Amino acid sequence: MIETNGLGRTFDGTVAVEDLHLRVGEGEVVGLLGPNGAGKTTTVRMLSCLIAPTSGGAVVAGFDILRDPQRVRERVGVLTETPGLYRRLTVRRNLEFFARLYGVEDVAGQVEKYLDLFGLSDRQADPVGTLSKGMRQRLALARALLHEPEVLLLDEPTAALDPESAREVRDFISELRGAGRAILLCTHNLPEAERLCDRIALLRTRLVAVGTPEELKARLFSPRVLVELAAPDPDLPRALDLPFVKEAELSGNVLALRVEDPERDNPLLVQRLVELGAQVKYVTREERTLEDVYLELMEAGDAD
Amino acid sequence: MLVHKEWEEVFRIRLVIFSVLFMPLLLAGFATYLVWQAQALPEEAAGARAALFNTALMYFLILPVIIPVTIAVYSIVGEKEQGTLEPLLATPIADWELFLGKALAAVLPALGLTWMVFGLFLAASAVILEGLPPGVLSLPWLLSLFALAPLLALFGVLVTMIVSSRTSDPRAAYQFSGLALIPGLIPLIIYSARQTAVSLKLVGLEGALVLALDVGVPYLAVRLFRREEILTRWK
């Protein structure tokens, strides 16, 4: 559905996106993460044929963005960084206008469907300027879907929303996953990306890493076991002379251990700890978050 | 559909309605006054009378050029200000469709208003002068109003839209549009300077000139309309 091939864009000599190779398949949600200025919005703009790449190319919904921009636009739904709605027009008129621009055959039917789906039917006669931020974002999302696009490009869909509105929008995006669309989601919100995306692409002008959240975590962090003790023993890390323990670190009452294979090694580890007189309260696996992955990769990028 | 949307949007702004209505009514009033004054001149002042009549006609040719400026300036800059231009440009609409829709949205009300206030002018003149003044329904006047005025309006709108699409601030767009419209107004000023009645030849000459411009300017407008620049350079 989306396949970029060395996609790149420079603005007056400044590189915004460089050599991007990324694939988003049917029914897949891929999160594009990166700091401000990483090239996320530029990527969305290139894929929606709003701006042309200066190098490489991409095929979106089966059409080349350089050769068939018109056809790409017909098949792509875009949620821009700001909702970009006509504030003086009513909710319904905003949708009707865009439905016609996208060549929707049953304008009234599609508008009705999305007003209903996004809970905006009661407000359809109100000017958009009177809606809350959350409602406007829902309306913008409805507008992006009116023509039943095969590809959805969502740029910061929950930015600047209060937690409740953000959750509503996330729920809607979550429901869209099953419809067979390819969705590229740009976000700063890492828990949101972890919850919504099948795969994550970390962008910092160039693609830093791509994979499922679990793959990225496994790639960066070897498993650690956390042992909570009844009382700390500073000598314990040194006293643990087990070959499979690669690293041991005591922090307060918690002993953090890097082991080769937790499932195989943990029983022996606990046995040895008890032999050394330690009183074990809990043994848990250290949970790494996408935020850890993100920070690790971005810091590695800084070091480079 | 774009035309309707533009009207729905623009005519909800009170300032736009005021500025669009004020000038036509004012100039129609001036035109009536000029014709009234011209009628009062003695027979031997035929040249002065013709000049006053020409000036009155000129007002109705200026109107279609200046009325759409408010609407046309808003057409691109207003979209950018509201953040609506990006979703709009992300649709399959072609550049020429966008320009045509926005140009018609500005030209049609301008022409409608011009013809309406011309009707008011005729009615007022008929009442004040107890009959229509001679010449106001002559072929040069009617051709000026119904053939030249649309061509001038289109020219004015396209020039304004070019300026609007190349400017990020509505105030700057207004100012630059004013300057850009000067070439379109020069032939009109010639009308008022003439001591003889406007002739078919003059109307035809000016019509041919503006028609040539109307053919070239849309091409230039679409060529100069750069989605990328509008999206990436405007802050």
Side-chain angles (χ1 to χ4, degrees):
Chain A
M1 292 290 226
I2 300 176
E3 189 150 14
T4 70
N5 185 17
L7 193 68
R9 172 74 205 206
T10 55
F11 294 103
D12 298 328
T14 305
V15 178
V17 178
E18 192 178 8
D19 196 29
L20 179 65
H21 292 268
L22 183 67
R23 192 182 176 282
V24 185
E26 196 175 319
E28 190 181 26
V29 184
V30 172
L32 199 56
L33 305 188
N36 289 333
K40 302 186 298 291
T41 299
T42 301
T43 302
V44 165
R45 285 177 168 176
M46 286 192 282
L47 294 177
S48 53
C49 301
L50 285 165
I51 61 173
T54 44
S55 59
V59 173
V60 178
F63 292 96
D64 190 295
I65 59 167
L66 288 167
R67 280 199 295 268
D68 294 303
Q70 199 83 353
R71 286 188 174 158
V72 171
R73 286 192 203 114
E74 284 167 9
R75 288 160 177 82
V76 170
V78 189
L79 179 70
T80 49
E81 225 171 337
T82 51
L85 298 157
Y86 296 104
R87 290 191 289 268
R88 293 180 194 88
L89 300 189
T90 64
V91 169
R92 173 175 274 277
R93 283 293 293 131
N94 264 276
L95 291 181
E96 283 174 349
F97 174 63
F98 278 93
R100 291 200 173 94
L101 284 181
Y102 278 108
V104 171
E105 282 181 14
D106 179 15
V107 171
Q110 281 297 94
V111 168
E112 253 352 291
K113 174 182 164 184
Y114 281 101
L115 281 173
D116 195 37
L117 189 69
F118 285 86
L120 292 164
S121 296
D122 293 345
R123 303 294 303 270
Q124 61 177 297
D126 294 338
V128 166
T130 64
L131 301 184
S132 67
K133 271 188 182 176
M135 282 185 168
R136 283 183 213 178
Q137 197 69 343
R138 270 152 54 189
L139 179 59
L141 200 51
R143 178 188 59 196
L145 289 163
L146 273 172
H147 58 299
E148 307 292 353
E150 296 160 51
V151 172
L152 259 183
L153 305 171
L154 309 175
D155 196 359
E156 306 282 358
T158 58
L161 293 184
D162 61 66
E164 198 182 335
S165 305
R167 198 171 119 180
E168 282 178 6
V169 171
R170 271 198 292 274
D171 288 344
F172 283 122
I173 295 169
S174 190
E175 283 170 27
L176 296 173
R177 300 177 66 172
R181 295 185 174 95
I183 303 176
L184 186 67
L185 170 73
C186 297
T187 182
H188 281 298
N189 189 324
L190 301 173
E192 174 178 288
E194 193 160 12
R195 193 183 133 193
L196 293 174
C197 302
D198 301 306
R199 284 191 303 136
I200 302 291
L202 290 173
L203 186 70
R204 192 170 181 162
T205 308
R206 297 176 74 98
L207 197 60
V208 176
V210 63
T212 66
E214 292 312 314
E215 279 170 0
L216 292 174
K217 286 176 199 171
R219 202 181 302 168
L220 283 176
F221 306 108
S222 55
R224 287 217 308 180
V225 176
L226 302 178
V227 181
E228 193 177 333
L229 305 165
D233 178 357
D235 296 328
L236 210 51
R238 267 182 288 118
L240 270 176
D241 50 349
L242 295 169
F244 54 80
V245 174
K246 301 293 174 201
E247 188 185 303
E249 185 188 347
L250 187 68
S251 173
N253 280 8
V254 179
L255 182 64
L257 301 136
R258 203 174 295 283
V259 295
E260 284 172 359
D261 180 353
E263 285 187 25
R264 184 198 67 197
D265 302 334
N266 281 357
L268 293 170
L269 175 68
V270 173
Q271 190 183 334
R272 180 71 182 134
L273 285 169
V274 172
E275 282 169 13
L276 290 168
Q279 289 181 284
V280 176
K281 283 170 74 179
Y282 299 104
V283 179
T284 52
R285 189 174 65 177
E286 185 182 45
E287 291 295 338
R288 290 291 189 166
T289 63
L290 189 59
E291 190 177 354
D292 296 324
V293 172
Y294 179 87
L295 292 174
E296 184 79 14
L297 285 169
M298 290 303 158
E299 278 166 19
D302 281 337
D304 291 345
Chain B
M1 91 195 98
L2 189 59
V3 175
H4 282 131
K5 191 281 290 175
E6 292 287 307
W7 288 350
E8 269 188 71
E9 264 240 292
V10 167
F11 292 123
R12 278 173 205 243
I13 306 170
R14 280 185 193 161
L15 193 65
V16 171
I17 296 174
F18 174 76
S19 49
V20 163
L21 286 178
F22 177 73
M23 194 58 92
L25 292 171
L26 185 74
L27 289 187
F30 282 166
T32 311
Y33 177 74
L34 288 179
V35 169
W36 180 41
Q37 288 296 304
Q39 286 292 87
L41 288 172
E43 282 299 315
E44 53 271 27
R49 183 185 290 180
L52 288 176
F53 265 77
N54 290 345
T55 306
L57 174 60
M58 183 195 75
Y59 287 163
F60 294 105
L61 296 183
I62 287 177
L63 280 177
V65 182
I66 56 175
I67 296 171
V69 168
T70 312
I71 305 167
V73 162
Y74 182 81
S75 67
I76 304 286
V77 180
E79 296 261 12
K80 179 68 189 175
E81 275 190 328
Q82 285 196 99
T84 48
L85 196 58
E86 190 165 347
L88 180 65
L89 295 179
T91 68
I93 192 167
D95 289 351
W96 70 267
E97 290 174 311
L98 187 66
F99 258 90
L100 183 68
K102 285 184 173 286
L104 285 177
V107 166
L108 296 178
L111 287 176
L113 264 171
T114 301
W115 294 334
M116 194 181 81
V117 293
F118 182 69
L120 284 176
F121 158 76
L122 289 180
S125 301
V127 170
I128 294 167
L129 305 172
E130 295 172 351
L132 281 178
V136 295
L137 288 179
S138 64
L139 195 56
W141 270 64
L142 294 177
L143 270 178
S144 295
L145 274 165
F146 295 101
L148 187 56
L151 293 173
L152 282 168
L154 187 63
F155 174 74
V157 163
L158 289 170
V159 170
T160 308
M161 284 179 63
I162 291 174
V163 173
S164 184
S165 69
R166 308 286 297 169
T167 320
S168 57
D169 177 46
R171 283 162 299 185
Y174 270 115
Q175 285 175 356
F176 282 117
S177 297
L179 289 173
L181 292 178
I182 289 173
L185 296 176
I186 289 172
L188 302 179
I189 295 163
I190 295 169
Y191 271 35
S192 60
R194 284 171 61 92
Q195 296 285 302
T196 54
V198 171
S199 64
L200 267 179
K201 190 179 165 189
L202 183 67
V203 176
L205 204 68
E206 197 178 347
L209 178 73
V210 183
L211 183 66
L213 289 171
D214 280 350
V215 171
V217 173
Y219 175 75
L220 191 69
V222 174
R223 293 279 296 178
L224 288 174
F225 182 73
R226 298 199 179 106
R227 290 171 186 240
E228 287 206 22
E229 273 185 38
I230 291 171
L231 290 173
T232 56
R233 300 213 173 161
W234 286 12
K235 297 292 177 199

